[in-house]
């Protein structure tokens, strides 16, 4: 018989590191992490503009059943992100406004779920961000046990309780707890480097030259033709 557990844990990144990851956003953090950590692109935000980073509190549920979502809420604290996975693929709407109201009261930043969500208008109005596989009004039961704060796989990405979850309009990524300080430092360096490049682009410099890509084009056999001359030659030939 499978063992179902609710694990109590306070493990998680430092608040200042989470704040830095939220400022960086998914794309920069992903690059800073060596282009690792992304959750599959099938998880999308229910409304645009949200950007969060928080400690992962995980739920493993039976598809079509949200009993363990109820069980997990008392394990959540301010600055957390709830992460819901199911034991097999599901798009049922196992999370809605009433859950979000409970989580918001505890300071939870948002939800990442590999299943479905409903009450989108209400969630949007209350400013509770969700990244989900589906929007689906299908209701669920509260009858099958699962687990809280165990490792889960969400859209192909392993997420362990206490990891940092970063989410914005570009998607969702996970930074393993042990890697958070290094990724924060690398993201800050990357942001400084990008700002320097941004200023050069404002000044009219081309990426083709800044990144020294002309020799690459030449090595790959890309040649430049004068379009006006080519058109003129074609016209002469027709005559």
């Amino acid at each position: 018989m499978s063992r179902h557990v609710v694990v109590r844990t306070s493990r998680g990144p430092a608040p200042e590191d989470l704040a830095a990851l939220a400022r960086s956003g998914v794309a920069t953090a992903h690059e800073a992490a060596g282009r690792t950590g992304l959750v599959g692109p099938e998880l999308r935000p229910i409304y645009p503009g949200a950007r969060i980073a928080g400690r992962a509190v995980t739920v493993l549920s039976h598809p079509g059943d949200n009993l363990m979502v109820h069980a997990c809420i008392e394990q959540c604290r301010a600055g957390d992100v709830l992460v819901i996975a199911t034991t097999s693929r599901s798009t049922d709407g196992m999370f809605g406004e009433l859950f979000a109201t409970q989580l918001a009261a505890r300071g939870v930043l948002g939800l990442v779920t590999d299943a479905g969500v409903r009450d989108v208008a209400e969630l949007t109005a209350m400013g509770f961000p969700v990244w989900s596989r589906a929007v689906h009004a299908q209701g669920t039961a509260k009858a099958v046990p699962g687990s809280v704060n165990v490792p889960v796989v969400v859209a192909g990405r392993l997420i362990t309780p206490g990891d940092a979850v970063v989410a914005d309009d570009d998607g969702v990524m996970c930074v393993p707890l042990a890697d958070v300080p290094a990724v924060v430092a690398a993201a800050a360096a990357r942001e400084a480097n990008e700002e320097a490049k941004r200023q050069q682009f404002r000044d009219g410099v081309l990426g083709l030259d800044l990144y020294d890509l002309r020799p690459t084009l030449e090595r790959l056999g890309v040649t430049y033709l004068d379009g006006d001359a080519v058109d003129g030659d074609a016209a002469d030939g027709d005559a």
Side-chain angles (χ1 to χ4, degrees):
M1 182 176 182
S2 298
R3 185 182 180 206
H4 305 290
V5 298
V6 175
V7 179
R8 300 185 182 100
T9 177
S10 60
R11 293 175 67 251
E16 59 270 23
D17 285 342
L18 291 172
L21 287 172
R23 289 191 299 271
S24 296
V26 170
T28 296
H30 164 62
E31 295 285 352
R35 297 183 178 176
T36 64
L38 286 179
V39 170
E42 57 267 37
L43 267 58
R44 299 300 305 151
I46 61 170
Y47 63 82
R51 175 179 285 197
I52 63 173
R55 179 185 77 127
V57 174
T58 65
V59 179
L60 183 61
S61 287
H62 187 81
D65 192 289
N66 65 8
L67 173 65
M68 299 313 295
V69 181
H70 285 278
C72 86
I73 292 176
E74 67 177 347
Q75 305 306 319
C76 294
R77 67 189 188 198
D80 287 347
V81 175
L82 182 59
V83 178
I84 300 175
T86 52
T87 55
S88 61
R89 186 183 174 95
S90 176
T91 57
D92 294 342
M94 59 192 301
F95 184 96
E97 177 218 352
L98 295 180
F99 273 138
T101 301
Q102 296 177 70
L103 291 170
R106 302 180 76 87
V108 174
L109 300 177
L111 168 73
V112 171
T113 176
D114 208 7
V117 64
R118 62 186 188 177
D119 299 336
V120 169
E122 291 80 4
L123 293 170
T124 302
M126 66 187 291
F128 190 88
V130 174
W131 289 258
S132 67
R133 177 179 291 273
V135 173
H136 197 191
Q138 176 64 50
T140 54
K142 300 170 179 60
V144 183
S147 292
V148 173
N149 275 332
V150 297
V152 297
V153 175
V154 174
R157 174 61 52 186
L158 175 67
I159 300 178
T160 300
D163 288 348
V165 173
V166 189
D168 59 22
D169 286 345
D170 290 333
V172 180
M173 76 164 294
C174 174
V175 182
L177 177 58
D179 297 342
V180 168
V183 172
V184 168
R190 184 176 182 85
E191 288 165 3
N193 180 262
E194 287 184 348
E195 179 54 33
K197 292 176 181 176
R198 191 175 294 112
Q199 186 55 55
Q200 292 184 72
F201 292 149
R202 293 190 188 109
D203 293 339
V205 175
L206 296 175
L208 199 61
D209 297 313
L210 183 63
Y211 301 128
D212 194 25
L213 295 176
R214 295 186 190 276
T216 301
L217 292 177
E218 184 177 357
R219 176 174 55 82
L220 294 174
V222 178
T223 58
Y224 286 82
L225 298 177
D226 187 330
D228 292 337
V230 171
D231 293 342
D233 291 343
D236 291 343
D238 290 340

